[in-house]
Amino acid sequence: MVSAVAAHLLFFIVSVNLIPTTPIVEEQPFQAADRGVGSALGKSRKRVFPVPHTEEPDPISEAYGYCNTPNRTEQAWEGHSPADYKLLSAQVMIRHGDRYPLYSIPKTKRPAIDCTLSTSRKPSHPLLNAFISHMDLGGRGHWESPLSSIPRLPNHSACEMGELTQTGVVQHLRNGQLLHQAYKRHNLLPSNWLPRHVWVETTGKSRTLQSGLAFLYGFSPDFDWTKLTVRHQWSTLFCGSACDCPARNRYLEEEQRRQYRLRVSDTELERTYVDMARTLGLLTRQLRAANPIDSLLCRLCHGISFPCVPMGEGGTKACLTMAQFAVIRRQQLDDEVDRRRVGLYHKYAILAMYPYLNRTATKMERVARDNEAGRQPRAGGEEVFTLSSAHDVTMIPLLSALGLEEARFPRFAARVVFELWKSPKVIQGQPKKRASKGEKSKVKDGELFIRVLYNGEDVTFHTTFCRSHDRRASQPLCPLKNFLSFVRRDMFSLVNATSYQEACFRRPG
Ligand SMILES: *[C@@H]1O[C@H](CO)[C@@H](O)[C@H](O)[C@H]1NC(C)=O
Ligand SMILES: *[C@@H]1O[C@H](CO)[C@@H](O)[C@H](O)[C@H]1NC(C)=O
Ligand SMILES: *[C@@H]1O[C@H](CO)[C@@H](O)[C@H](O)[C@H]1NC(C)=O
Ligand SMILES: *[C@@H]1O[C@H](CO)[C@@H](O)[C@H](O)[C@H]1NC(C)=O
């Protein structure tokens, strides 16, 4: 495994309080959900897997990668396949784009960021004005409650906590446009698509709803609102009606104890918090509770200097420093390594993401059946495009469950894409001994394949279910059946079970 080689230089960062204790909570104040950091090591910025490196990772340049500033063109490998293969469906999970902090640091000024949208502000996008006008017509769409009462655009001149920024909107307009380009020649979605072709779902936060709409607009500009239903996922795990899983919660609680122990044993981290609290005139525990990394990251992403407070007489100031920021980030890196070593999170992730993966697999099977040779496709066809607008606390377990634990922490507007492909039909020659029965040759239907992409990079052959597939053989892609047997059975072997039911409800012993 790659991890054995690279275990000491992993860049995937998760902090002590990253994980929600139950699927109901979303990014609660004491949880640093969303605030992790990842990505980008100088030139290797675009790679989603850290390149093995002999140096310690640089926490600051990685933080810039996490920002995902939309200021350069991006390479996207979505839609790539051998010639003549047909793209049957794409299922996309996104993390919301750049947002205002969820926490503020007491005694300091909140970063001044304008969350209204304007093409005169950077970063902008050619579709921005058309997007704003189109959102005005959103009342024509169908919204599962409580989504209809959520604003469809960020619109506060002083951003509210957790509000999507213009940067976040632009990130997803770009994402949608990238996939539009990637899938255009495959005719995945006709421009006059029908309600049944598209499935859009989001959690009930304005930043996920708005991110999803920006993505959809980039993907299908000027889409017909009357065909769109936006569905609500109440849990950040997108587990629908299958969220009850006591064993998952037990793994999570153990994992949180591990994180806590690692954190309190880090004397440099403790000292840094004490220093930062003293600078600001706070109690150390007040500062901790205020989750300073979240606010500092936002400032870093927006080019706003770290907060200062007046110090004594004479107008001198004391400020939080980049060095302190780097210490917190370094500890997050260490935590990530430890997390992977211990493996509790991976078990949590398997159970957390089974319902979503099961749904993904089922959709693929349905679309595949609809495309069987000789079958009359159903009127209206099947869902060919699915968009799930989610959080870091959704995408981190998804990556882990797929065996992509080495992948970088999901940056703002990160995306995971599942593509379903079919190879061309094969006309098979008649076997010799039956040649007398007729001259007809048999048509063998094409075979089905899956591709998984993370931030535009093909990671299929890093997943647990296709890591050992020999792609130099006649099959250059990963067979869908690998994914299906992984989801329906094999993934539970890690928790010594053969089904979700068994894994969730077996008595601890
Ligand atoms: C894009 O923005 C990032 C972070 O703000 C910066 O480090 C990088 O140099 C910029 N890249 C370009 C091409 O301007
Ligand atoms: C944004 O808010 C302003 C002031 O409240 C309002 O005039 C404007 O119509 C709003 N725009 C949108 C697109 O909601
Ligand atoms: C998994 O998907 C199947 C359909 O393929 C469905 O019948 C079953 O209820 C799903 N299980 C869970 C736990 O979501
Ligand atoms: C796995 O489960 C079986 C039966 O459910 C049990 O007998 C066995 O001891 C378990 N093994 C481990 C390592 O937990």
Side-chain angles (χ1 to χ4, degrees):
M1 252 175 62
V2 193
S3 57
V5 186
H8 58 299
L9 12 104
L10 294 171
F11 300 23
F12 191 175
I13 305 151
V14 165
S15 55
V16 177
N17 298 309
L18 183 72
I19 309 155
T21 42
T22 79
I24 307 154
V25 294
E26 277 179 53
E27 304 175 1
Q28 288 193 349
F30 50 88
Q31 296 165 337
D34 260 3
R35 85 181 130 117
V37 181
S39 239
L41 224 199
K43 290 194 184 107
S44 64
R45 151 161 282 145
K46 276 201 222 140
R47 302 196 53 86
V48 297
F49 287 101
V51 177
H53 218 265
T54 48
E55 294 159 28
E56 284 288 299
D58 169 13
I60 308 297
S61 63
E62 282 192 64
Y64 281 114
Y66 171 83
C67 300
N68 193 13
T69 307
N71 60 0
R72 61 208 134 83
T73 55
E74 214 189 312
Q75 178 91 312
W77 292 98
E78 283 91 350
H80 284 246
S81 74
D84 302 332
Y85 279 48
K86 183 164 190 258
L87 180 62
L88 300 186
S89 78
Q91 300 184 55
V92 181
M93 180 186 280
I94 55 174
R95 183 191 172 199
H96 60 76
D98 180 76
R99 58 146 173 79
Y100 199 72
L102 297 166
Y103 316 91
S104 57
I105 307 177
K107 298 201 180 175
T108 65
K109 273 219 297 274
R110 287 169 38 144
I113 299 177
D114 188 340
C115 274
T116 59
L117 303 179
S118 162
T119 48
S120 61
R121 199 160 347 96
K122 282 188 175 172
S124 188
H125 191 280
L127 288 178
L128 187 62
N129 273 337
F131 170 68
I132 295 169
S133 322
H134 202 63
M135 290 307 112
D136 258 358
L137 311 176
R140 301 178 188 171
H142 307 274
W143 304 86
E144 265 183 19
S145 77
L147 302 179
S148 58
S149 59
I150 296 173
R152 292 185 271 275
L153 290 173
N155 191 21
H156 292 92
S157 52
C159 298
E160 302 203 313
M161 305 306 271
E163 187 170 8
L164 193 68
T165 66
Q166 175 158 321
T167 304
V169 169
V170 169
Q171 285 165 337
H172 278 303
L173 287 171
R174 289 171 57 117
N175 272 340
Q177 214 174 24
L178 264 177
L179 261 67
H180 174 80
Q181 291 299 332
Y183 294 152
K184 206 163 53 178
R185 69 195 171 88
H186 299 289
N187 299 318
L188 177 70
L189 193 63
S191 54
N192 58 344
W193 48 266
L194 298 171
R196 190 174 173 82
H197 289 141
V198 173
W199 178 280
V200 176
E201 59 185 9
T202 177
T203 62
K205 296 285 184 219
S206 63
R207 61 182 170 280
T208 43
L209 179 116
Q210 293 161 4
S211 292
L213 292 173
F215 185 106
L216 188 66
Y217 194 79
F219 187 68
S220 182
D222 293 316
F223 60 82
D224 181 349
W225 275 111
T226 61
K227 293 177 186 168
L228 182 69
T229 299
V230 184
R231 299 176 201 263
H232 179 232
Q233 282 285 346
W234 63 275
S235 161
T236 55
L237 299 178
F238 287 59
C239 44
S241 57
C243 292
D244 189 19
C245 183
R248 179 193 67 220
N249 298 338
R250 285 197 299 273
Y251 287 128
L252 188 56
E253 282 155 23
E254 282 181 70
E255 162 67 8
Q256 284 168 333
R257 283 194 288 274
R258 178 203 64 72
Q259 289 186 309
Y260 179 77
R261 283 193 299 269
L262 187 73
R263 194 188 68 189
V264 298
S265 69
D266 195 318
T267 51
E268 192 192 19
L269 180 73
E270 295 298 298
R271 213 168 44 233
T272 301
Y273 272 123
V274 170
D275 288 348
M276 290 166 77
R278 191 184 301 131
T279 299
L280 300 176
L282 297 171
L283 296 173
T284 308
R285 67 179 146 78
Q286 278 179 307
L287 179 69
R288 242 192 243 297
N291 222 336
I293 194 79
D294 185 51
S295 178
L296 296 181
L297 263 171
C298 171
R299 288 161 193 269
L300 189 91
C301 293
H302 287 264
I304 299 170
S305 55
F306 283 180
C308 300
V309 290
M311 192 180 68
E313 314 295 303
T316 53
K317 292 191 298 181
C319 306
L320 299 185
T321 67
M322 201 59 98
Q324 291 165 335
F325 175 78
V327 169
I328 301 178
R329 300 277 323 286
R330 188 271 309 150
Q331 198 275 335
Q332 293 180 320
L333 289 167
D334 293 349
D335 181 70
E336 181 54 33
V337 175
D338 194 55
R339 191 186 81 158
R340 201 172 349 225
R341 180 183 65 76
V342 173
L344 286 162
Y345 188 83
H346 188 46
K347 293 178 178 175
Y348 159 76
I350 292 274
L351 299 182
M353 276 299 129
Y354 168 75
Y356 173 82
L357 288 172
N358 185 39
R359 205 151 53 90
T360 302
T362 301
K363 284 189 184 196
M364 288 185 178
E365 287 179 309
R366 275 209 307 264
V367 174
R369 253 195 317 268
D370 208 41
N371 277 274
E372 273 168 17
R375 182 183 276 255
Q376 195 65 34
R378 288 206 289 137
E382 285 289 349
E383 266 158 56
V384 290
F385 183 73
T386 299
L387 179 64
S388 304
S389 189
H391 300 262
D392 60 352
V393 288
T394 325
M395 201 173 272
I396 300 165
L398 176 61
L399 293 166
S400 175
L402 293 170
L404 301 171
E405 294 211 286
E406 307 288 333
R408 294 178 198 279
F409 191 100
R411 63 191 188 189
F412 286 131
R415 64 181 193 271
V416 174
V417 178
F418 295 86
E419 293 176 348
L420 176 64
W421 291 88
K422 189 170 188 177
S423 61
K425 287 177 196 138
V426 182
I427 316 282
Q428 288 181 323
Q430 196 75 336
K432 265 192 180 148
K433 52 181 176 185
R434 283 202 238 146
S436 58
K437 285 190 182 170
E439 300 298 278
K440 271 189 286 175
S441 51
K442 268 203 303 204
V443 175
K444 186 167 169 285
D445 199 9
E447 288 176 70
L448 298 162
F449 301 93
I450 182 174
R451 287 178 84 225
V452 182
L453 298 106
Y454 181 41
N455 294 339
E457 193 172 320
D458 187 341
V459 294
T460 317
F461 294 100
H462 293 273
T463 62
T464 308
F465 58 89
C466 242
R467 208 174 276 146
S468 55
H469 177 70
D470 182 6
R471 57 180 143 159
R472 285 158 308 177
S474 56
Q475 288 181 344
L477 296 186
C478 175
L480 177 66
K481 64 176 162 42
N482 287 30
F483 178 63
L484 296 180
S485 58
F486 173 70
V487 171
R488 297 280 152 71
R489 182 183 173 101
D490 301 348
M491 65 192 271
F492 299 108
S493 64
L494 195 88
V495 287
N496 191 23
T498 55
S499 74
Y500 185 62
Q501 282 296 316
E502 184 193 351
C504 288
F505 294 100
R506 197 172 42 197
R507 302 206 149 270

